[in-house]
């Protein structure tokens, strides 16, 4: 596609439910990032997929969070047993795998846990 | 944001110049990005520095000192549309880590 696509754009869920957030990166981009942004805050790194290497999961805040990237393209971020503090905008970005490559962002998924 | 520090908020006047500073921990450093983010929108790329010195791009310039772990973004001839958050991000061991951002308010 022309840009990074994320779905859904908005998600309201009840506390304790599981949610799946999807990211379609730019075609040909081998690196993919997930970030979380709470209201008025900066971007919190969650996970980084780099080509065929093992993902860097060092930013995942708890074992309720997981992500996978199938076929080197689409990625899904799953949050199990959602809590109210999980409410935030989840942003996905992709870039070509070389140092200094510009990361292109999707419009994000706004998650509200009620 | 993993020891990437920038001021939380700044205010400047339309037509003026503003400098937004960023300091970072130098371990694993592979370059520094500046992104702009308008409220409710995704961040967009402004600049990338990997070597020391100043990179100029129109009204925006970005400076890097690797030895000092310091960068700044310079915005000239400020316009109202420059009201946004400016995010400093470090390429550290090939992943991009962001600071908390600086909210810039432009007064007419």
């Amino acid at each position: 596609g022309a840009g990074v696509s994320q779905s859904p754009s908005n998600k309201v869920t009840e506390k304790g439910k599981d949610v799946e957030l999807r990211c379609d990166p730019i075609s040909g981009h081998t690196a993919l990032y997930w970030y979380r942004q709470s209201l008025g805050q900066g971007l919190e790194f969650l996970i980084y997929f780099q080509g065929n290497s093992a993902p860097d999961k060092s930013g995942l805040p708890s074992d309720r969070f997981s992500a996978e990237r199938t076929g080197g393209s689409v990625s899904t971020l799953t949050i199990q047993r959602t809590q109210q503090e999980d409410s935030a905008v989840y942003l996905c970005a992709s870039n070509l795998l070389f140092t200094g490559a510009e990361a292109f962002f999707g419009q994000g998924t706004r998650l509200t846990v009620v | 944001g993993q020891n990437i520090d920038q001021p939380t908020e700044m205010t400047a006047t339309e037509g003026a110049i503003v400098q937004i500073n960023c300091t970072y921990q130098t371990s694993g450093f592979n370059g520094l990005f500046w992104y702009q983010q308008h409220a409710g929108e995704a961040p967009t790329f402004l600049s990338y520095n990997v070597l020391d010195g100043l990179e100029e791009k129109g009204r925006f310039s970005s400076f890097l000192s690797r030895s000092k772990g310091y960068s700044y973004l310079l915005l000239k001839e400020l316009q109202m549309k420059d009201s946004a958050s400016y995010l400093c991000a470090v390429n550290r061991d090939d992943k991009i880590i962001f600071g908390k951002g600086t909210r810039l308010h432009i007064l007419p």
Side-chain angles (χ1 to χ4, degrees):
Chain A
V4 178
S5 176
Q6 291 188 245
S7 60
S9 54
N10 278 285
K11 176 73 176 177
V12 180
T13 190
E14 291 181 354
K15 179 181 170 182
K17 302 274 191 189
D18 298 352
V19 294
E20 280 190 358
L21 313 180
R22 178 187 167 105
C23 173
D24 267 292
I26 292 173
S27 178
H29 280 191
T30 47
L32 185 147
Y33 305 77
W34 282 99
Y35 296 92
R36 177 168 71 174
Q37 188 171 35
S38 301
L39 189 63
Q41 301 297 309
L43 273 65
E44 176 189 2
F45 168 79
L46 297 178
I47 188 168
Y48 167 47
F49 294 90
Q50 40 184 331
N52 295 322
S53 303
D56 182 331
K57 304 180 182 182
S58 60
L60 294 178
S62 77
D63 58 9
R64 297 186 294 106
F65 288 72
S66 63
E68 61 179 28
R69 188 177 185 193
T70 51
S73 182
V74 172
S75 177
T76 304
L77 177 69
T78 301
I79 309 173
Q80 295 179 307
R81 305 180 303 280
T82 52
Q83 304 293 312
Q84 287 186 328
E85 62 261 28
D86 300 334
S87 296
V89 175
Y90 289 81
L91 288 161
C92 174
S94 71
N95 65 0
L96 295 169
L97 194 60
F98 65 87
T99 303
E102 172 189 347
F104 293 84
F105 282 83
Q107 291 301 307
T109 294
R110 181 175 298 279
L111 176 67
T112 305
V113 182
V114 298
Chain B
Q2 295 197 17
N3 302 113
I4 300 171
D5 294 314
Q6 48 182 132
T8 304
E9 286 191 84
M10 298 183 71
T11 301
T13 305
E14 191 177 13
I17 299 173
V18 71
Q19 177 175 313
I20 303 174
N21 296 325
C22 172
T23 58
Y24 61 89
Q25 226 177 30
T26 57
S27 59
F29 178 79
N30 274 332
L32 187 141
F33 297 87
W34 284 96
Y35 278 79
Q36 181 190 59
Q37 187 179 27
H38 285 100
E41 298 182 10
T44 55
F45 171 84
L46 290 178
S47 67
Y48 173 71
N49 294 68
V50 65
L51 300 176
D52 286 356
L54 188 67
E55 297 272 346
E56 296 188 70
K57 197 186 289 186
R59 294 189 299 114
F60 292 8
S61 303
S62 56
F63 171 84
L64 178 69
S65 169
R66 293 178 66 121
S67 61
K68 294 181 179 174
Y70 168 68
S71 173
Y72 67 73
L73 180 69
L74 191 72
L75 291 77
K76 302 176 188 174
E77 300 167 19
L78 285 169
Q79 302 175 8
M80 296 304 293
K81 67 179 182 180
D82 298 331
S83 291
S85 287
Y86 290 86
L87 309 174
C88 174
V90 168
N91 183 320
R92 178 170 289 146
D93 299 325
D94 285 335
K95 68 188 182 203
I96 303 175
I97 304 298
F98 284 81
K100 293 188 183 300
T102 298
R103 259 193 311 281
L104 177 63
H105 305 279
I106 310 295
L107 302 177

